[in-house]
Coordinates of all heavy atoms in Angstrom, one line a residue:
F19 N 119.0 133.4 104.2 CA 118.7 133.8 102.8 C 118.1 132.7 102.0 O 118.4 131.5 102.2 CB 119.9 134.4 102.1 CG 121.0 133.4 101.8 CD1 121.1 132.8 100.5 CD2 121.9 133.0 102.8 CE1 122.1 131.9 100.2 CE2 122.9 132.1 102.5 CZ 123.0 131.6 101.2
F20 N 117.1 133.1 101.2 CA 116.5 132.2 100.2 C 115.9 133.0 99.1 O 116.1 134.3 99.1 CB 115.4 131.4 100.9 CG 114.6 132.1 101.9 CD1 113.5 132.8 101.6 CD2 115.0 132.1 103.3 CE1 112.7 133.5 102.6 CE2 114.2 132.7 104.2 CZ 113.1 133.5 103.9
A21 N 115.3 132.4 98.1 CA 115.0 133.1 96.9 C 113.7 133.9 97.0 O 112.8 133.5 97.6 CB 114.9 132.1 95.7
E22 N 113.7 135.1 96.3 CA 112.5 135.8 96.2 C 111.7 135.1 95.1 O 112.2 134.6 94.1 CB 112.7 137.3 95.8 CG 113.1 138.2 96.9 CD 112.9 139.6 96.6 OE1 112.2 140.0 95.7 OE2 113.5 140.5 97.4
L23 N 110.3 135.1 95.3 CA 109.5 134.3 94.4 C 109.6 134.7 92.9 O 109.7 133.9 92.0 CB 108.0 134.4 94.9 CG 107.6 133.4 96.0 CD1 106.1 133.6 96.3 CD2 107.9 132.0 95.6
N24 N 109.4 136.0 92.6 CA 109.3 136.4 91.2 C 110.7 136.2 90.5 O 110.7 135.9 89.3 CB 108.9 137.9 91.1 CG 107.4 138.0 91.4 OD1 106.7 137.1 91.4 ND2 107.0 139.3 91.6
F25 N 111.8 136.3 91.2 CA 113.1 136.0 90.6 C 113.1 134.6 90.3 O 113.6 134.2 89.2 CB 114.2 136.4 91.6 CG 115.6 136.2 91.0 CD1 116.2 137.2 90.2 CD2 116.3 135.0 91.3 CE1 117.4 137.0 89.7 CE2 117.5 134.8 90.8 CZ 118.1 135.8 90.0
F26 N 112.7 133.7 91.2 CA 112.7 132.3 90.9 C 111.9 131.9 89.7 O 112.2 131.1 88.9 CB 112.3 131.5 92.2 CG 112.0 130.1 92.0 CD1 113.1 129.2 91.8 CD2 110.7 129.6 91.9 CE1 112.9 127.8 91.6 CE2 110.5 128.2 91.7 CZ 111.6 127.3 91.5
K27 N 110.7 132.5 89.7 CA 109.7 132.2 88.6 C 110.3 132.7 87.3 O 110.0 132.0 86.2 CB 108.4 132.8 88.9 CG 107.7 132.2 90.1 CD 106.4 132.9 90.4 CE 105.7 132.3 91.6 NZ 104.4 133.1 92.0
A28 N 111.0 133.8 87.2 CA 111.5 134.3 86.0 C 112.8 133.7 85.5 O 113.2 133.8 84.4 CB 111.7 135.8 86.1
F29 N 113.4 132.9 86.4 CA 114.6 132.2 86.1 C 114.4 131.2 85.0 O 113.6 130.3 85.1 CB 115.2 131.6 87.4 CG 116.6 131.3 87.4 CD1 117.5 132.0 88.2 CD2 117.2 130.3 86.6 CE1 118.9 131.7 88.2 CE2 118.5 130.0 86.6 CZ 119.4 130.7 87.4
P30 N 115.2 131.2 83.9 CA 114.9 130.3 82.8 C 115.2 128.8 83.2 O 116.2 128.5 83.9 CB 115.9 130.7 81.7 CG 116.3 132.1 82.1 CD 116.2 132.2 83.6
A31 N 114.3 128.0 82.8 CA 114.5 126.5 83.2 C 115.7 126.0 82.5 O 116.1 126.5 81.4 CB 113.2 125.8 82.7
G32 N 116.2 124.9 83.1 CA 117.4 124.3 82.5 C 118.4 123.8 83.6 O 118.1 124.0 84.8
P33 N 119.5 123.3 83.2 CA 120.5 122.7 84.2 C 121.0 123.8 85.2 O 121.3 123.4 86.3 CB 121.6 122.2 83.4 CG 121.5 122.8 82.0 CD 120.0 123.1 81.8
R34 N 121.1 125.0 84.8 CA 121.5 126.1 85.7 C 120.5 126.3 86.8 O 120.9 126.5 88.0 CB 121.9 127.4 85.0 CG 122.4 128.5 85.9 CD 122.9 129.7 85.1 NE 121.9 130.2 84.2 CZ 122.2 131.2 83.3 NH1 123.4 131.7 83.2 NH2 121.2 131.7 82.6
K35 N 119.3 126.4 86.4 CA 118.2 126.6 87.4 C 118.2 125.4 88.4 O 118.0 125.5 89.6 CB 116.9 126.8 86.8 CG 115.7 127.1 87.8 CD 114.5 127.6 87.1 CE 113.5 128.1 88.1 NZ 112.2 128.7 87.4
D36 N 118.3 124.2 87.8 CA 118.3 123.0 88.7 C 119.4 123.0 89.7 O 119.3 122.5 90.8 CB 118.3 121.7 87.8 CG 117.1 121.6 86.9 OD1 116.1 122.2 87.2 OD2 117.2 120.9 85.8
A37 N 120.6 123.4 89.2 CA 121.7 123.5 90.1 C 121.7 124.6 91.1 O 122.4 124.6 92.2 CB 123.0 123.5 89.3
T38 N 120.9 125.6 90.8 CA 120.9 126.8 91.6 C 120.0 126.7 92.8 O 120.3 127.1 93.9 CB 120.5 128.1 90.8 OG1 121.5 128.3 89.8 CG2 120.4 129.3 91.7
F39 N 118.8 126.1 92.6 CA 117.8 126.2 93.6 C 117.5 124.8 94.2 O 117.5 123.8 93.6 CB 116.5 126.7 93.0 CG 116.6 128.1 92.5 CD1 116.6 128.5 91.2 CD2 116.6 129.2 93.5 CE1 116.7 129.8 90.8 CE2 116.7 130.5 93.0 CZ 116.8 130.8 91.7
W40 N 117.2 124.8 95.5 CA 116.8 123.7 96.3 C 115.3 123.8 96.4 O 114.7 124.7 97.1 CB 117.5 123.8 97.6 CG 117.4 122.6 98.5 CD1 116.8 121.4 98.3 CD2 117.9 122.5 99.9 NE1 116.9 120.6 99.3 CE2 117.6 121.2 100.3 CE3 118.5 123.4 100.7 CZ2 117.9 120.8 101.6 CZ3 118.9 123.0 102.0 CH2 118.6 121.7 102.4
T41 N 114.6 122.8 95.8 CA 113.1 122.9 95.8 C 112.4 121.7 96.4 O 111.2 121.8 96.6 CB 112.6 123.1 94.3 OG1 113.1 121.9 93.6 CG2 113.2 124.3 93.7
K42 N 113.1 120.6 96.6 CA 112.5 119.4 97.3 C 113.2 119.1 98.6 O 114.4 119.0 98.6 CB 112.6 118.2 96.3 CG 111.9 118.4 95.0 CD 110.4 118.6 95.1 CE 109.7 118.7 93.8 NZ 108.2 118.9 94.0
F43 N 112.4 118.9 99.6 CA 113.0 118.8 101.0 C 112.6 117.5 101.7 O 111.4 117.4 102.1 CB 112.6 120.0 101.8 CG 113.0 121.4 101.2 CD1 112.2 122.0 100.2 CD2 114.2 121.9 101.6 CE1 112.6 123.2 99.7 CE2 114.6 123.1 101.0 CZ 113.8 123.8 100.1
P44 N 113.5 116.6 101.8 CA 113.2 115.4 102.6 C 113.0 115.7 104.1 O 113.9 116.4 104.7 CB 114.4 114.5 102.4 CG 115.2 115.1 101.3 CD 114.9 116.5 101.3
I45 N 111.9 115.3 104.7 CA 111.6 115.6 106.1 C 111.5 114.2 106.8 O 110.7 113.3 106.4 CB 110.3 116.3 106.2 CG1 110.3 117.6 105.4 CG2 110.0 116.6 107.7 CD1 111.4 118.6 105.8
L46 N 112.3 114.1 107.9 CA 112.3 112.9 108.7 C 111.1 112.9 109.6 O 111.0 113.8 110.5 CB 113.6 112.8 109.5 CG 113.8 111.6 110.4 CD1 113.8 110.3 109.5 CD2 115.1 111.7 111.2
N47 N 110.2 111.9 109.6 CA 109.1 111.9 110.4 C 109.5 111.2 111.7 O 110.5 110.5 111.8 CB 108.0 111.1 109.7 CG 107.5 111.8 108.4 OD1 107.4 113.0 108.4 ND2 107.4 111.0 107.4
S48 N 108.6 111.3 112.7 CA 108.9 110.7 114.1 C 108.9 109.2 114.0 O 109.6 108.6 114.9 CB 107.8 111.2 115.1 OG 106.5 110.8 114.6
N49 N 108.3 108.6 113.0 CA 108.3 107.1 112.9 C 109.4 106.6 112.1 O 109.5 105.4 111.8 CB 107.0 106.6 112.4 CG 106.7 107.1 111.0 OD1 107.5 107.8 110.4 ND2 105.5 106.7 110.4
G50 N 110.3 107.5 111.7 CA 111.5 107.1 110.9 C 111.3 107.1 109.4 O 112.3 106.9 108.7
T51 N 110.1 107.4 108.9 CA 109.9 107.5 107.5 C 110.3 108.9 107.0 O 110.4 109.8 107.8 CB 108.4 107.2 107.2 OG1 107.6 108.2 107.8 CG2 108.0 105.8 107.6
V52 N 110.4 109.0 105.7 CA 110.8 110.3 105.1 C 109.7 110.8 104.2 O 109.2 110.0 103.3 CB 112.1 110.2 104.4 CG1 112.5 111.5 103.7 CG2 113.2 109.8 105.4
T53 N 109.3 112.0 104.3 CA 108.4 112.7 103.4 C 109.1 113.7 102.6 O 109.8 114.6 103.2 CB 107.2 113.3 104.2 OG1 106.5 112.3 105.0 CG2 106.2 114.0 103.3
I54 N 108.9 113.8 101.3 CA 109.4 114.8 100.5 C 108.5 115.9 100.3 O 107.3 115.7 99.9 CB 109.8 114.2 99.1 CG1 110.7 113.0 99.2 CG2 110.5 115.3 98.2 CD1 112.0 113.3 99.8
K55 N 108.9 117.1 100.8 CA 108.0 118.3 100.7 C 108.5 119.2 99.6 O 109.7 119.4 99.5 CB 108.0 119.0 102.0 CG 107.2 118.3 103.1 CD 107.0 119.2 104.3 CE 106.1 118.5 105.4 NZ 105.8 119.4 106.5
D56 N 107.6 119.8 98.9 CA 107.9 120.8 97.9 C 108.2 122.1 98.7 O 107.8 122.3 99.8 CB 106.7 121.0 97.0 CG 107.0 122.0 95.8 OD1 107.8 121.6 94.9 OD2 106.5 123.1 95.8
W57 N 108.9 123.1 98.0 CA 109.2 124.3 98.6 C 107.9 125.1 99.0 O 108.0 125.9 100.0 CB 110.0 125.2 97.7 CG 109.4 125.6 96.4 CD1 109.6 125.0 95.2 CD2 108.6 126.7 96.1 NE1 108.9 125.6 94.2 CE2 108.3 126.7 94.7 CE3 108.1 127.8 96.9 CZ2 107.5 127.7 94.1 CZ3 107.3 128.8 96.3 CH2 107.0 128.7 94.9
T58 N 106.8 124.8 98.4 CA 105.6 125.5 98.7 C 105.0 125.0 100.1 O 104.1 125.6 100.6 CB 104.5 125.3 97.6 OG1 104.3 123.9 97.4 CG2 105.0 125.9 96.3
E59 N 105.5 123.9 100.6 CA 105.0 123.3 101.8 C 105.8 123.5 103.0 O 105.4 123.1 104.1 CB 104.9 121.7 101.5 CG 104.0 121.4 100.4 CD 104.0 119.9 100.1 OE1 105.0 119.4 99.6 OE2 103.0 119.2 100.4
I60 N 107.0 124.1 102.9 CA 107.8 124.3 104.1 C 107.5 125.7 104.6 O 106.7 126.5 104.1 CB 109.3 124.3 103.7 CG1 109.7 125.3 102.7 CG2 109.7 122.8 103.3 CD1 111.2 125.3 102.4
Q61 N 108.1 126.0 105.8 CA 107.6 127.2 106.6 C 107.7 128.5 105.8 O 106.8 129.3 105.8 CB 108.5 127.3 107.8 CG 108.1 128.5 108.7 CD 108.8 128.6 110.0 OE1 109.4 127.6 110.5 NE2 108.9 129.8 110.6

C-alpha cells in the first residue's frame, strides 16, 4: 500500500503531512554512495 496521488495532493501541508508521508528515498548505489530520490523517481 501507498498513497493515491490526488489524496496526497489535497492533503493540507504541515507537520501532520510531513509525519504521514514518506517522500524522499535514500538509494544505495553499487559504489557505496547514496542518492536521494524523490517519490516521483521511484518505481
Side-chain angles (χ1 to χ4, degrees):
F19 67 99
F20 37 88
E22 282 199 17
L23 277 183
N24 285 346
F25 182 84
F26 170 74
K27 292 175 180 178
F29 200 111
R34 182 170 58 186
K35 187 170 189 176
D36 295 338
T38 297
F39 295 107
W40 189 5
T41 59
K42 300 295 181 182
F43 301 86
I45 304 297
L46 180 64
N47 301 315
S48 58
N49 62 2
T51 61
V52 175
T53 301
I54 306 297
K55 288 190 175 182
D56 186 71
W57 62 266
T58 58
E59 300 174 289
I60 60 176
Q61 181 177 337

